[in-house]
Each structure stands twice: as structure tokens, then as C-alpha cells.
Amino acid sequence: HCIAAEKQQTVLRVAVVDDDEEDVAYETCVLGVLRQGYRVLHMRSAQGTRIRNCYLLCHVSFTTQVNAWVGEGEMMEYVRSKEKEMEERVDEAEAEVAKLKGLTPCSSSSYSGAG
């Protein structure tokens, strides 16, 4: 799982580690270059050279996620402010509808156009 704000500026590093947390193999790539679906990464040694017949099959998918850096309190405050805005807009719309319902259409007898 990886969260990135800018895919084109994010370098993804995938590593295989042993029991001592030492890298056995790794590969890096720019996240924005990867396409969704199953991908095969040709792994490298700790020195950076490709390891013959050493590949890792992985699945890549992209989704969007709410900004994880915003706290719950801030998010709830934002939601409440938007709810209040929506309620005000509904009230304005209802007042406008009531105003429009109060208008009567012009009758043909009161129309004094040339004809």
C-alpha cells in the first residue's frame, strides 16, 4: 500500500528482505509510469545490477483517498460548515419558490398591447 500526492514525482521502491531485514533484491520505478494491472519487476542486487531470472509479480491499482494529514476534528468542522451552507441554499431556494408561487400570470384582459 502506497499513498502518493504526485504520481509523476514519486519513486516506488519494492524490496525483498531476509529475516535480518537486509535487502536481498529490490527494484525502483516512478509511480506515474506504472500502468494498472499485473506487472513484472526485474529485481536488482544490493549493488544495483539486475539479477538473472529474478522477477517479482505484483498487482498495481490506483484509487483516491481523503487527505490523511487532516485530523478528524478539522474534517468534521469542514463537513458541518458545508452542511450549514447547503441548508442556507435550500432555505434561499424555498424562499424563491414561494416568491414565484405568489406571482400571478398576466391575464389576457389586463394585457394592453397593440393588436
mmCIF file of all heavy atoms in Angstrom, residues 3 20 36-37 40 45 50 60 69-72 80 93 104:
data_model
loop_
_atom_site.group_PDB
_atom_site.id
_atom_site.type_symbol
_atom_site.label_atom_id
_atom_site.label_comp_id
_atom_site.label_asym_id
_atom_site.label_seq_id
_atom_site.Cartn_x
_atom_site.Cartn_y
_atom_site.Cartn_z
ATOM 1 N N ILE A 3 0.706 5.634 -0.539
ATOM 2 C CA ILE A 3 -0.068 6.854 -0.725
ATOM 3 C C ILE A 3 0.862 7.916 -1.288
ATOM 4 O O ILE A 3 1.917 8.185 -0.721
ATOM 5 C CB ILE A 3 -0.680 7.329 0.604
ATOM 6 C CG1 ILE A 3 -1.639 6.275 1.150
ATOM 7 C CG2 ILE A 3 -1.390 8.660 0.413
ATOM 8 C CD1 ILE A 3 -2.192 6.603 2.515
ATOM 9 N N ASP A 20 16.888 -10.924 8.642
ATOM 10 C CA ASP A 20 17.650 -9.891 9.358
ATOM 11 C C ASP A 20 17.337 -8.489 8.842
ATOM 12 O O ASP A 20 18.075 -7.541 9.144
ATOM 13 C CB ASP A 20 19.157 -10.166 9.217
ATOM 14 C CG ASP A 20 19.550 -11.497 9.823
ATOM 15 O OD1 ASP A 20 18.940 -11.876 10.847
ATOM 16 O OD2 ASP A 20 20.449 -12.162 9.274
ATOM 17 N N GLN A 36 -1.947 0.214 -14.477
ATOM 18 C CA GLN A 36 -2.690 -0.650 -13.577
ATOM 19 C C GLN A 36 -2.683 -2.081 -14.114
ATOM 20 O O GLN A 36 -2.568 -2.318 -15.299
ATOM 21 C CB GLN A 36 -4.129 -0.161 -13.436
ATOM 22 C CG GLN A 36 -4.218 1.178 -12.731
ATOM 23 C CD GLN A 36 -5.621 1.502 -12.303
ATOM 24 O OE1 GLN A 36 -6.069 1.002 -11.290
ATOM 25 N NE2 GLN A 36 -6.293 2.335 -13.075
ATOM 26 N N GLY A 37 -2.806 -3.020 -13.197
ATOM 27 C CA GLY A 37 -2.843 -4.429 -13.564
ATOM 28 C C GLY A 37 -1.633 -5.165 -13.016
ATOM 29 O O GLY A 37 -0.897 -4.657 -12.172
ATOM 30 N N VAL A 40 5.464 -7.153 -13.891
ATOM 31 C CA VAL A 40 6.632 -7.950 -13.515
ATOM 32 C C VAL A 40 7.807 -7.000 -13.342
ATOM 33 O O VAL A 40 8.133 -6.221 -14.231
ATOM 34 C CB VAL A 40 6.961 -9.002 -14.596
ATOM 35 C CG1 VAL A 40 8.229 -9.759 -14.246
ATOM 36 C CG2 VAL A 40 5.790 -9.958 -14.773
ATOM 37 N N SER A 45 20.308 -6.530 -7.482
ATOM 38 C CA SER A 45 21.082 -6.881 -6.286
ATOM 39 C C SER A 45 21.324 -5.622 -5.462
ATOM 40 O O SER A 45 21.006 -4.514 -5.899
ATOM 41 C CB SER A 45 22.426 -7.495 -6.688
ATOM 42 O OG SER A 45 23.247 -6.498 -7.288
ATOM 43 N N ARG A 50 21.081 -5.984 -12.262
ATOM 44 C CA ARG A 50 19.927 -6.881 -12.395
ATOM 45 C C ARG A 50 20.339 -8.315 -12.078
ATOM 46 O O ARG A 50 21.418 -8.763 -12.466
ATOM 47 C CB ARG A 50 19.340 -6.803 -13.788
ATOM 48 C CG ARG A 50 18.779 -5.433 -14.082
ATOM 49 C CD ARG A 50 17.715 -5.517 -15.154
ATOM 50 N NE ARG A 50 17.292 -4.189 -15.527
ATOM 51 C CZ ARG A 50 16.146 -3.639 -15.134
ATOM 52 N NH1 ARG A 50 15.337 -4.305 -14.375
ATOM 53 N NH2 ARG A 50 15.835 -2.418 -15.515
ATOM 54 N N VAL A 60 -0.830 -3.688 -9.560
ATOM 55 C CA VAL A 60 -0.854 -2.241 -9.376
ATOM 56 C C VAL A 60 -2.277 -1.740 -9.605
ATOM 57 O O VAL A 60 -2.906 -2.088 -10.610
ATOM 58 C CB VAL A 60 0.103 -1.540 -10.373
ATOM 59 C CG1 VAL A 60 0.021 -0.030 -10.236
ATOM 60 C CG2 VAL A 60 1.522 -2.037 -10.194
ATOM 61 N N TRP A 69 -3.707 13.605 6.139
ATOM 62 C CA TRP A 69 -2.995 14.516 7.044
ATOM 63 C C TRP A 69 -3.946 15.457 7.782
ATOM 64 O O TRP A 69 -3.538 16.171 8.674
ATOM 65 C CB TRP A 69 -1.954 15.316 6.265
ATOM 66 C CG TRP A 69 -0.959 14.420 5.626
ATOM 67 C CD1 TRP A 69 -0.850 14.141 4.300
ATOM 68 C CD2 TRP A 69 0.035 13.632 6.273
ATOM 69 N NE1 TRP A 69 0.155 13.246 4.081
ATOM 70 C CE2 TRP A 69 0.729 12.911 5.283
ATOM 71 C CE3 TRP A 69 0.426 13.460 7.596
ATOM 72 C CZ2 TRP A 69 1.770 12.052 5.569
ATOM 73 C CZ3 TRP A 69 1.467 12.598 7.874
ATOM 74 C CH2 TRP A 69 2.123 11.913 6.868
ATOM 75 N N VAL A 70 -5.209 15.464 7.383
ATOM 76 C CA VAL A 70 -6.192 16.307 8.059
ATOM 77 C C VAL A 70 -6.778 15.518 9.219
ATOM 78 O O VAL A 70 -7.198 14.379 9.045
ATOM 79 C CB VAL A 70 -7.312 16.736 7.085
ATOM 80 C CG1 VAL A 70 -8.384 17.528 7.811
ATOM 81 C CG2 VAL A 70 -6.726 17.554 5.949
ATOM 82 N N GLY A 71 -6.814 16.116 10.383
ATOM 83 C CA GLY A 71 -7.343 15.438 11.553
ATOM 84 C C GLY A 71 -8.854 15.285 11.480
ATOM 85 O O GLY A 71 -9.540 15.989 10.737
ATOM 86 N N GLU A 72 -9.381 14.379 12.287
ATOM 87 C CA GLU A 72 -10.820 14.114 12.291
ATOM 88 C C GLU A 72 -11.607 15.355 12.687
ATOM 89 O O GLU A 72 -12.649 15.662 12.103
ATOM 90 C CB GLU A 72 -11.141 12.964 13.240
ATOM 91 C CG GLU A 72 -12.606 12.596 13.262
ATOM 92 C CD GLU A 72 -12.918 11.476 14.223
ATOM 93 O OE1 GLU A 72 -11.987 10.861 14.775
ATOM 94 O OE2 GLU A 72 -14.119 11.227 14.428
ATOM 95 N N ARG A 80 -19.430 20.052 8.709
ATOM 96 C CA ARG A 80 -20.505 20.844 9.326
ATOM 97 C C ARG A 80 -20.687 22.189 8.620
ATOM 98 O O ARG A 80 -21.814 22.653 8.420
ATOM 99 C CB ARG A 80 -20.220 21.059 10.810
ATOM 100 C CG ARG A 80 -20.515 19.825 11.639
ATOM 101 C CD ARG A 80 -20.437 20.118 13.145
ATOM 102 N NE ARG A 80 -20.089 18.905 13.853
ATOM 103 C CZ ARG A 80 -18.871 18.569 14.264
ATOM 104 N NH1 ARG A 80 -17.868 19.381 14.076
ATOM 105 N NH2 ARG A 80 -18.657 17.431 14.889
ATOM 106 N N ALA A 93 -33.568 28.825 -1.771
ATOM 107 C CA ALA A 93 -34.323 28.263 -2.892
ATOM 108 C C ALA A 93 -35.807 28.153 -2.545
ATOM 109 O O ALA A 93 -36.675 28.468 -3.369
ATOM 110 C CB ALA A 93 -33.764 26.900 -3.282
ATOM 111 N N THR A 104 -48.823 36.162 -9.921
ATOM 112 C CA THR A 104 -49.913 35.661 -10.765
ATOM 113 C C THR A 104 -49.576 35.979 -12.201
ATOM 114 O O THR A 104 -49.065 37.071 -12.521
ATOM 115 C CB THR A 104 -51.248 36.313 -10.389
ATOM 116 O OG1 THR A 104 -51.108 37.717 -10.492
ATOM 117 C CG2 THR A 104 -51.664 35.927 -8.985
#
